[in-house]
């Protein structure tokens, strides 16, 4: 517990620093990019828990993001009406609005985790490609259901009169949920990025994480040595869903994003899958790297934006043919031998 | 009663198209054991190529009643083009991965799917503008049966689809090539020891499946002339529903795919007609999850023993 708390605290301190020092210097555009990077890092690292660690192929990650985002957005938006009478951003650091937003994000994580159980329990008994199609189907079912929700209630009066059920189903329908106050800033994003990274890394280098990897390497062998593979798969799935829910909550409260069922469809899921695959299936730092590069690349390639996706797709195919394990594979950045020596360190050292 | 019969008609018309697409999924799965995600894009490609050829032949969206041979030409050209695309994809993207883990092949398939979608959106190909398919086939009401109007497009579509399926069934169960396909599907290694050219058979499977999908694309564009951009969610979803059809019928089973396609058509349209038209995508995927839970190998599928 203490071992985990120290890096988290350092991370939080760094996040405060980023918010206070870097925020004003780099300007809103770069800050927005940094926030997008952070959200993508959370998404890629969490999907890596499922796709990389346990080797289950889930392509509905944006669905969990949508669950978390809508839950958090709904709580903050309607909660602001009920508590403050309007949806203005409450001033001050850790203001009541900030706390409401934090609560919304955590609630989003919980609801997304429940969604993860609902999808995971029945479908994780299935083999790889069926899971892919079921997660995809889940995303589509969710999209249709979100598109069928009612319009967002716009005035404090309406919100006060409406019942909880009405509020929970007034999510904007196919037009999307607009008007969510912008609470996400660099501090919140990088706090959650830190937590995600610490959880993922500590998981990977623990005996529990080894069990995850054993499921990926050979399910039958893992079962034979007494690992309950179904339980492990569901746990990885639920954990990943919870983090995706947080990422969705952060996304929902970010400046300039729209919470739209179509925006969070399978295109978004594929984007996250590409990050995991390019970075390396099972490498936390690889996923981080890929998330950074693939968030910045579209900005760099702005002038040929129409070629972005064909190039991504080709890169994905070539990667699978030439280097199927991704750029880093299972290794982490610091485990690479930068200067090739005769004696390569076995990875077990990191687990000790 | 009229509503019921009308839904039944539409269900057969749409279901037979799903079945045509599902055949491609199931044949590839039967032989190589992976979901060819790019298959649904081949279907979309078929529709767009039909549109391009029809426009090149001088049809506009308004013209009607052309000679039948030109529509035959269009469908054959679309099938040939998509067959060639399917062959190329298998040769360049899937063959180098023949011995790779299934996960990698699956990711490659997603990559190919994204590639086709996004290249199709480029302005040198089909662009991002929705188009309207010219009425290449004569769409008139042939007659009415107990109040149900029978459209010639539905009839031609279902008849073409069923005809192609009968030909395919004959090809697979009555010819030497079909026997080779079944042998490869049973065990690639042993089949190659028996002197079967495995690469040729797999290539042929891709060509066959892709051209069937192209035919389905043409027929679908005839029935629903609004063509969306190649990456449009509704079009990609059509292919996925066909995959669901293949799974429900028992993936790897040719006749199962046909049955599953028709079933999906019925489920979707009866759900839309009698429950709620807005939730039609939900029915299909709910049925998928249900079938996977109760009978993971599909209706006509055989359980597979896990190899240790």
């Amino acid at each position: 517990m203490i071992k985990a708390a120290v890096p988290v605290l350092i991370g939080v301190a760094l996040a405060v620093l980023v918010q206070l020092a870097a925020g004003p210097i780099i300007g809103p555009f770069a800050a927005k990019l940094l926030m997008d990077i952070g959200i993508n890092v959370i998404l890629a690292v969490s999907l890596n828990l499922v796709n990389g660690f346990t080797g289950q192929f889930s392509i509905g990650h944006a669905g969990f993001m949508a669950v978390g985002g809508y839950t958090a957005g709904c709580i903050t938006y309607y909660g602001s009406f009920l508590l403050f009478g309007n949806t203005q951003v409450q001033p001050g650091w850790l203001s009541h609005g900030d706390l409401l937003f934090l609560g919304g994000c955590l609630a989003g994580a919980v609801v997304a985790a429940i969604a993860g159980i609902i999808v995971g329990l029945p479908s994780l008994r299935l083999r790889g490609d069926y899971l892919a199609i079921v997660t995809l189907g889940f995303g589509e079912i969710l999209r249709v259901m979100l598109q069928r929700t009612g319009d967002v209630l716009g005035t404090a009066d309406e919100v006060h009169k409406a019942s909880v059920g009405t509020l929970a189903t007034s999510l904007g329908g196919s037009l999307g949920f607009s008007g969510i106050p912008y609470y996400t800033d660099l501090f919140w994003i990088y706090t959650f990025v830190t937590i995600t990274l610490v959880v993922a890394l500590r998981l990977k280098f623990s005996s529990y994480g080894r069990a995850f990897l054993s499921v990926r390497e050979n399910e039958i062998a893992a079962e034979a040595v007494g690992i309950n593979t179904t339980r492990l798969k569901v746990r990885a799935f639920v954990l990943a869903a919870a983090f995706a829910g947080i990422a969705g909550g952060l996304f929902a409260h970010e400046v300039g994003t729209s919470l739209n069922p179509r925006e969070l469809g399978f295109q978004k899921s594929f984007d996250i899958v590409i990050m995991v695959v390019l970075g390396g299936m099972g490498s936390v730092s690889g996923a981080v790297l890929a998330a950074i590069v693939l968030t910045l690349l579209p900005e760099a390639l702005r002038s040929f934006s129409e070629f972005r996706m064909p190039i991504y797709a080709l890169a994905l195919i070539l990667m699978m043919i030439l280097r199927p394990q991704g750029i880093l594979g299972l290794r982490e950045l610091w485990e690479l031998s930068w200067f090739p020596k005769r004696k390569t360190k076995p990875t077990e050292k990191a687990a000790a | 009663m009229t509503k019921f019969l009308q839904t039944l008609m539409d269900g057969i018309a749409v279901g037979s198209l799903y079945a045509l697409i599902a055949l491609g999924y199931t044949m590839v799965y039967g032989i190589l054991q992976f979901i060819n995600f790019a298959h649904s894009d081949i279907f979309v490609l078929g529709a767009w190529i039909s549109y391009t050829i029809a426009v090149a032949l001088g049809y506009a969206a308004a013209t009607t009643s052309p000679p039948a041979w030109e529509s035959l030409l269009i469908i054959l050209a679309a099938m040939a083009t998509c067959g060639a695309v399917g062959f190329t994809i298998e040769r360049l993207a899937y063959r180098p991965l023949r011995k790779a883990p299934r996960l990698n092949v699956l990711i490659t398939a997603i990559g190919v799917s994204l590639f086709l979608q996004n290249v199709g959106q480029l302005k040198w190909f089909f662009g991002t503008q929705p188009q309207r398919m010219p009425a290449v086939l004569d769409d008139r009401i042939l007659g009415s049966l107990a109040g149900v109007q029978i459209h010639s497009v539905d009839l031609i579509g279902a008849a073409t689809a069923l005809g192609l399926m009968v030909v395919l069934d004959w090809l697979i169960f009555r010819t030497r090539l079909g026997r080779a396909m079944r042998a490869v599907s049973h065990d690639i290694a042993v089949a190659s020891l028996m002197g079967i050219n495995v690469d040729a058979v797999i290539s042929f499977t891709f060509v066959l499946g892709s051209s069937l999908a192209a035919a389905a694309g043409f027929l679908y564009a005839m029935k629903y002339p609004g063509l969306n951009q190649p990456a449009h969610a509704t079009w990609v979803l059509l292919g996925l529903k066909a995959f669901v059809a293949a799974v429900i019928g028992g993936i790897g089973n040719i006749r199962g795919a046909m049955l599953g396609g028709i079933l999906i058509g019925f489920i979707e349209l009866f759900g839309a007609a009698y429950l709620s038209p807005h939730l039609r995508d939900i029915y299909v995927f709910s049925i998928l999850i249900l079938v996977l839970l109760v009978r993971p190998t599909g209706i006509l599928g055989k359980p597979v023993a896990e190899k240790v």
Side-chain angles (χ1 to χ4, degrees):
Chain A
M1 202 60 208
I2 296 166
K3 258 178 93 179
V6 173
V8 168
L9 285 177
I10 294 172
V12 171
L14 280 178
V16 174
L17 212 68
V18 168
Q19 169 71 15
L20 292 180
I25 299 171
I26 56 178
F29 178 71
K32 166 91 166 88
L33 264 184
L34 270 182
M35 288 201 256
D36 284 343
I37 288 175
I39 291 177
N40 282 336
V41 165
I42 299 178
L43 287 169
V45 170
S46 63
L47 184 64
N48 209 350
L49 294 179
V50 178
N51 286 16
F53 286 15
T54 57
Q56 304 300 305
F57 202 64
S58 158
I59 46 181
H61 212 51
F64 297 116
M65 190 184 167
V67 170
Y70 269 90
T71 309
C74 183
I75 288 175
T76 321
Y77 182 79
Y78 291 123
S80 295
F81 269 126
L82 295 175
L83 291 176
F84 318 127
N86 56 42
T87 57
Q88 304 286 306
V89 174
Q90 297 296 303
W93 191 63
L94 284 183
S95 62
H96 290 299
D98 256 0
L99 295 179
L100 182 67
F101 155 70
L102 179 63
C105 281
L106 296 179
V110 172
V111 178
I114 294 170
I117 297 176
I118 294 172
V119 186
L121 267 184
S123 60
L124 287 178
R125 296 192 314 150
L126 307 164
R127 276 170 307 154
D129 2 2
Y130 287 121
L131 176 65
I133 207 80
V134 167
T135 48
L136 198 70
F138 154 74
E140 285 309 303
I141 291 177
L142 192 72
R143 180 181 60 80
V144 175
M145 276 163 50
L146 283 175
Q147 282 178 345
R148 300 292 304 148
T149 54
D151 292 338
V152 177
L153 303 178
T155 64
D157 220 31
E158 284 174 349
V159 174
H160 277 288
K161 276 188 205 134
S163 66
V164 178
T166 320
L167 290 183
T169 53
S170 302
L171 300 173
S174 51
L175 290 175
F177 199 154
S178 52
I180 302 172
Y182 301 137
Y183 279 111
T184 303
D185 53 26
L186 287 168
F187 165 73
W188 286 117
I189 298 235
Y190 283 92
T191 304
F192 282 118
V193 166
T194 312
I195 296 173
T196 316
L197 287 178
V198 169
V199 170
L201 282 171
R202 284 184 57 79
L203 190 62
K204 182 176 172 184
F205 297 114
S206 67
S207 57
Y208 206 75
R210 296 277 162 201
F212 278 37
L213 292 173
S214 77
V215 174
R216 154 194 156 137
E217 294 305 331
N218 192 331
E219 226 177 301
I220 299 164
E223 194 80 60
V225 294
I227 290 167
N228 186 341
T229 52
T230 306
R231 187 194 290 168
L232 270 190
K233 283 191 279 183
V234 173
R235 283 190 185 162
F237 209 66
V238 169
L239 194 61
F243 279 119
I246 287 184
L250 294 170
F251 179 78
H253 298 79
E254 200 193 13
V255 181
T257 52
S258 67
L259 207 52
N260 188 313
R262 227 164 290 138
E263 199 107 325
L264 299 172
F266 56 85
Q267 294 289 356
K268 181 75 189 168
S269 295
F270 281 168
D271 279 353
I272 311 170
V273 167
I274 292 174
M275 286 173 198
V276 172
V277 172
L278 288 188
M281 310 273 286
S283 169
V284 176
S285 47
V288 174
L289 259 187
I292 294 172
V293 171
L294 290 185
T295 321
L296 291 179
L297 208 58
E299 298 302 325
L301 295 176
R302 195 153 275 243
S303 48
F304 2 39
S305 58
E306 53 191 328
F307 293 109
R308 182 175 72 97
M309 285 312 288
I311 292 172
Y312 275 14
L314 268 186
L316 198 64
I317 300 168
L318 285 177
M319 178 70 97
M320 280 301 108
I321 294 172
L322 301 174
R323 198 174 162 80
Q325 72 274 41
I327 293 172
L328 288 181
L330 246 181
R331 288 177 299 177
E332 299 295 340
L333 213 49
W334 51 92
E335 292 168 356
L336 295 178
S337 44
W338 297 95
F339 308 101
K341 287 178 216 152
R342 273 289 154 76
K343 260 170 68 184
T344 43
K345 292 251 162 40
T347 45
E348 275 81 2
K349 191 166 178 278
Chain B
M1 191 61 191
T2 310
K3 188 182 176 188
F4 180 81
L5 286 175
Q6 186 71 56
T7 316
L8 198 70
M9 272 276 310
D10 288 343
I12 292 174
V14 176
S16 53
L17 300 187
Y18 281 144
L20 271 188
I21 314 172
L23 284 168
Y25 276 114
T26 216
M27 284 194 293
V28 168
Y29 197 96
I31 289 182
L32 294 174
Q33 257 93 56
F34 81 96
I35 307 172
N36 182 12
F37 269 106
H39 194 62
S40 64
D41 302 295
I42 300 277
F43 156 75
V44 181
L45 189 68
W48 275 98
I49 287 175
S50 313
Y51 163 80
T52 312
I53 299 173
V55 170
L57 285 175
Y59 289 108
T63 49
T64 47
S65 77
W69 67 269
E70 284 192 352
S71 50
L72 195 67
L73 179 77
I74 294 174
I75 191 173
L76 288 179
M79 286 172 77
T81 319
C82 286
V85 172
F87 176 83
T88 316
I89 290 173
E90 194 276 328
R91 187 68 194 78
L92 296 182
Y94 298 148
R95 192 174 294 178
L97 290 168
R98 199 63 60 74
K99 291 193 170 60
R102 279 163 58 187
L103 194 59
N104 290 345
V105 193
L106 194 67
I107 295 167
T108 310
I110 289 179
V112 173
S113 163
L114 287 177
F115 184 74
L116 288 178
Q117 284 176 19
N118 290 289
V119 169
Q121 276 191 71
L122 294 177
K123 58 176 176 285
W124 301 280
F125 290 91
F126 311 122
T128 48
Q129 288 299 312
Q131 302 289 356
R132 197 164 177 79
M133 178 81 189
V136 180
L137 279 178
D138 197 9
D139 188 12
R140 75 168 84 103
I141 295 157
L142 289 178
S144 61
L145 203 83
V148 182
Q149 292 173 339
I150 300 171
H151 288 264
S152 54
V153 162
D154 281 357
L155 209 62
I156 294 172
T160 315
L162 291 177
L164 284 171
M165 281 190 263
V166 169
V167 171
L168 182 77
D169 202 74
W170 170 79
L171 190 73
I172 286 177
F173 291 102
R174 292 280 178 277
T175 64
R176 281 174 63 90
L177 194 58
R179 192 186 294 168
M181 282 171 72
R182 283 181 288 144
V184 172
S185 159
H186 194 70
D187 192 322
I188 289 187
V190 174
S192 77
L193 290 178
M194 295 296 118
I196 293 171
N197 185 344
V198 171
D199 282 340
V201 169
I202 292 176
S203 287
F204 178 72
T205 309
F206 269 85
V207 172
L208 203 60
S210 302
S211 50
L212 289 179
F218 171 81
L219 295 170
Y220 195 86
M222 285 290 97
K223 188 161 168 54
Y224 302 102
L227 288 179
N228 282 314
Q229 64 174 55
H232 197 274
T234 33
W235 281 79
V236 179
L237 212 57
L238 283 170
L240 288 179
K241 283 182 200 163
F243 172 74
V244 173
V247 173
I248 289 180
I251 194 135
N253 186 317
I254 300 284
R255 288 172 184 168
M258 301 180 191
L259 178 72
I262 303 284
L263 267 180
I264 285 292
F266 281 159
I267 290 163
E268 193 183 348
L269 289 175
F270 274 100
Y274 287 92
L275 297 171
S276 162
H278 303 288
L279 303 176
R280 52 199 289 173
D281 299 338
I282 290 189
Y283 308 131
V284 175
F285 285 106
S286 314
I287 289 290
L288 169 75
I289 293 170
L290 204 72
V291 168
L292 286 181
L293 283 181
V294 179
R295 201 178 151 83
T297 49
I299 299 170
L300 296 184
K302 284 190 279 297
V304 190
E306 224 170 331
K307 283 182 196 160
V308 179

